[in-house]
Amino acid sequence: MTPIACHECDLLLMPLELSAARSQAYCPRCGARLYGCHHDRLEKILALTVAALTLLVTAISFPIVGLDIQGHYAETTVLDAAQALWREERGLLAGLVLLTTVLMPLFELGAVLWLVLPLWRGWRPWGFARVFRLLRLAQPWAMVEVFVLGVLVSLVKLSHLADVLPGPAMACFGGLMALLAALSVLIDPPALWQAWDAARPLPFAGGALRRFRKARA
Ligand SMILES: [Zn+2]
């Protein structure tokens, strides 16, 4: 059996000594919390992910900002902004805006749902390790906070040229930024692996894999 190291004082502990109750464990030397009840954590992750997905879809569908220049009113969404950049032959910038504010957050939230929803119901998700690795690779590319900061700076700079009205998407991106930060704290690899350990394999996963191998052979 592989020992677990306390993340605070590096004391090595055998999992058997810790997981008698399987709900929480504290380091006997320094008192640091080694893990807590994973079911509570999974519920919190799920609630935050559904809320974040709702905010992301709303943020994509509604205008980020409206400009009133001498009676002419114009407003734009993130997708319109990326399209405008594309038309102005700034394809790389358009791609980066789409990737960091829409595609990567969508992928991140989808991957979290894929991993956590079955675990919460007591099943092991298909391709857990692979999807988890992809999620950890994608996380640094979801940069909603950089986008929000960029929009705020441009709003201040534009405010003396035109009447600038922040749109509903701006508030949604603000909320999304906070939820993604909270999710990155809650998604703790040891806790998810512990939940995976306690879960059962999906009933059809083994059969599907055998059929796939048979078809390839
Ligand atoms: Zn310790």
Side-chain angles (χ1 to χ4, degrees), residues 6-11 13 26-32 34:
C6 166
H7 51 84
E8 293 296 328
C9 70
D10 291 335
L11 176 68
L13 295 146
Y26 293 89
C27 170
R29 182 158 71 188
C30 70
L34 298 169

Side-chain angles (χ1 to χ4, degrees), residues 30-158:
C30 70
R33 189 169 143 132
L34 298 169
Y35 58 71
C37 175
H38 56 72
H39 202 262
D40 279 3
R41 185 185 284 263
L42 294 181
E43 262 177 11
K44 279 182 200 152
I45 295 177
L46 268 184
L48 289 185
T49 309
V50 172
L53 264 177
T54 316
L55 282 184
L56 181 58
V57 172
T58 319
I60 296 170
S61 326
F62 286 89
I64 327 166
V65 68
L67 279 180
D68 190 350
I69 308 171
Q70 294 170 342
H72 293 286
Y73 185 73
E75 52 185 22
T76 183
T77 63
V78 189
L79 298 181
D80 290 340
Q83 223 173 13
L85 283 170
W86 181 263
R87 274 199 304 268
E88 285 172 22
E89 292 176 6
R90 292 183 179 177
L92 185 67
L93 204 56
L96 272 177
V97 168
L98 264 189
L99 188 80
T100 54
T101 55
V102 180
L103 298 179
M104 281 304 168
L106 257 183
F107 173 79
E108 188 183 336
L109 295 172
V112 172
L113 269 190
W114 176 273
L115 296 175
V116 174
L117 196 60
L119 284 180
W120 176 64
R121 301 301 302 159
W123 298 105
R124 289 177 180 175
W126 183 81
F128 181 81
R130 206 168 303 154
V131 177
F132 205 171
R133 217 170 288 135
L134 283 178
L135 171 67
R136 308 283 285 178
L137 279 177
Q139 265 172 341
W141 285 96
M143 298 181 207
V144 176
E145 62 283 1
V146 177
F147 178 76
V148 171
L149 215 68
V151 173
L152 283 177
V153 169
S154 30
L155 287 187
V156 172
K157 292 223 167 202
L158 280 172

Side-chain angles (χ1 to χ4, degrees), residues 126 130 204-217:
W126 183 81
R130 206 168 303 154
F204 50 85
L209 200 64
R210 269 196 300 278
R211 276 200 298 281
F212 175 68
R213 282 192 182 140
K214 211 185 254 177
R216 281 188 62 182

